[in-house]
Amino acid sequence: MSLPEHAEHGHGHESAIKTPKQLLITVVLAFLIPISVIILLVNLVGSSIRTGYGSDTQTEESIAKRIQPVAGFKLVDANAPKVFKTGEEVFKSTCSACHSTGVAGAPKFGDKDSWAPFIKQGFDDLVKNAIHGIGGMPPKGGNSSLDDFEVARAVAYMTNHSGADFPEPKEPAGDKADAKPTAAASTAAPSVAAAATKAPAAADTKAEAKPEEAAAAKTDAKADSQPAAKTADASAGNTVGEKLYKSVCITCHSVGVAGAPKFGDKESWAPFVKTGLDTMLKKAISGVGAMPPRGGSQATDEELKAAIQYMVDAAK
């Protein structure tokens, strides 16, 4: 038996919403879905990188960061009192190259057992050895710019973190270089000046008496100065590399500690130069052999590269 035609037609157009609950859900979703889409679009636009006018690139902080100089500098008054580095600063800039890893038998920082025999010698002997050098350690750890007081501070810092209890060294009272000359010095000045005046005349007389010897001596002096002049020309302008070498690398490379190629020694540098600058830089960054990563410093890749180039140029 078949249904009436009008019944079949009404069933085909029947609504999906049959109950009040379904109607309520439909109304709520009709509001929530568009609102959610709008929120997602706003977040997407807000979190994207914006450039140009109206973005964060125009803030004072962003502008200052973009125009800041590549290399920092600080104006220092030459007549101002010297500001001494702390023991920690000296350790990080100079001593850490060897004492952070125990290179060439150097007592390792924080290792009480390795420091114990040295601490027994007493603070004064430790400072004396640090200033004048001992074993594989060059004077002042290779950093000749350090003041004796700064070296003493570094010794106290390392030993006190390795089982000692030495008091902090007292800062020098002041620089006595500006003291007024004594009467004896003032009296002696004229005679010194007179001797200096007579010296050129005597030299001229000697040169006129033996022109051939003077010419030969001048030629020899010129020949002896050529290697030094060549080295100076090769490293001229590389102030960044020179600064890092003198503050960090010099500790080991000045004397060839633990197999480090010695500064200026062409033969010891030859095998490393053959590998190329990029390879040497990679090993300096990650550390190789007894050398800790970055030589135990906080130098950047560019600074390390400049220091390597400075040492390579000096060994040509």
Side-chain angles (χ1 to χ4, degrees):
M1 177 178 178
S2 61
L3 295 173
E5 184 179 353
H6 69 275
E8 293 179 356
H9 180 74
H11 180 72
H13 293 278
E14 185 177 352
S15 174
I17 302 174
K18 298 179 180 180
T19 64
K21 184 178 180 180
Q22 292 177 340
L23 177 62
L24 179 63
I25 293 175
T26 303
V27 173
V28 172
L29 291 177
F31 282 98
L32 290 180
I33 292 175
I35 293 174
S36 299
V37 172
I38 293 173
I39 293 174
L40 290 174
L41 290 174
V42 171
N43 290 334
L44 177 63
V45 174
S47 62
S48 62
I49 300 176
R50 298 171 297 168
T51 59
Y53 181 79
S55 69
D56 294 340
T57 58
Q58 301 302 318
T59 62
E60 294 183 1
E61 182 179 356
S62 298
I63 294 173
K65 186 176 182 179
R66 290 198 300 273
I67 66 175
Q68 68 180 354
V70 176
F73 64 92
K74 181 173 66 175
L75 298 177
V76 179
D77 185 2
N79 297 322
K82 178 178 176 61
V83 178
F84 295 104
K85 294 180 180 179
T86 65
E88 182 178 5
E89 290 173 340
V90 176
F91 170 76
K92 289 181 177 179
S93 65
T94 303
C95 314
S96 62
C98 292
H99 287 284
S100 61
T101 56
V103 171
K108 191 174 180 180
F109 182 80
D111 188 343
K112 295 182 179 180
D113 292 336
S114 63
W115 273 100
F118 299 94
I119 293 175
K120 288 181 180 179
Q121 297 177 9
F123 183 72
D124 292 339
D125 285 344
L126 286 173
V127 174
K128 182 180 178 181
N129 292 335
I131 293 174
H132 299 289
I134 183 174
M137 184 182 72
K140 297 185 177 181
N143 189 356
S144 58
S145 64
L146 291 176
D147 187 86
D148 291 355
F149 171 66
E150 292 173 321
V151 175
R153 272 185 165 180
V155 171
Y157 174 77
M158 289 188 290
T159 53
N160 287 343
H161 281 77
S162 306
D165 189 21
F166 295 128
E168 176 70 15
K170 294 182 179 180
E171 188 169 334
D175 191 357
K176 298 181 181 180
D178 297 331
K180 295 181 179 179
T182 61
S186 300
T187 305
S191 60
V192 174
T197 305
K198 293 179 181 179
D204 293 340
T205 303
K206 186 176 181 180
E208 292 175 359
K210 299 181 179 180
E212 295 180 357
E213 294 180 3
K218 184 176 180 180
T219 303
D220 294 339
K222 184 177 180 181
D224 293 338
S225 64
Q226 286 180 352
K230 185 178 180 181
T231 301
D233 293 339
S235 58
N238 191 355
T239 55
V240 175
E242 181 181 8
K243 182 179 179 181
L244 182 59
Y245 167 76
K246 291 184 177 180
S247 62
V248 178
C249 312
I250 192 173
T251 304
C252 295
H253 288 281
S254 62
V255 293
V257 172
K262 192 174 180 180
F263 184 79
D265 188 342
K266 184 177 180 180
E267 294 183 0
S268 64
W269 274 97
F272 299 94
V273 173
K274 287 182 181 179
T275 63
L277 184 61
D278 292 338
T279 301
M280 288 190 289
L281 175 61
K282 184 178 179 180
K283 291 183 177 180
I285 293 174
S286 58
V288 60
M291 185 182 75
R294 301 183 185 276
S297 71
Q298 301 296 322
T300 63
D301 292 357
E302 292 300 322
E303 291 172 334
L304 283 173
K305 186 175 182 179
I308 295 171
Q309 188 65 60
Y310 175 78
M311 290 187 284
V312 169
D313 290 341
K316 290 182 179 178

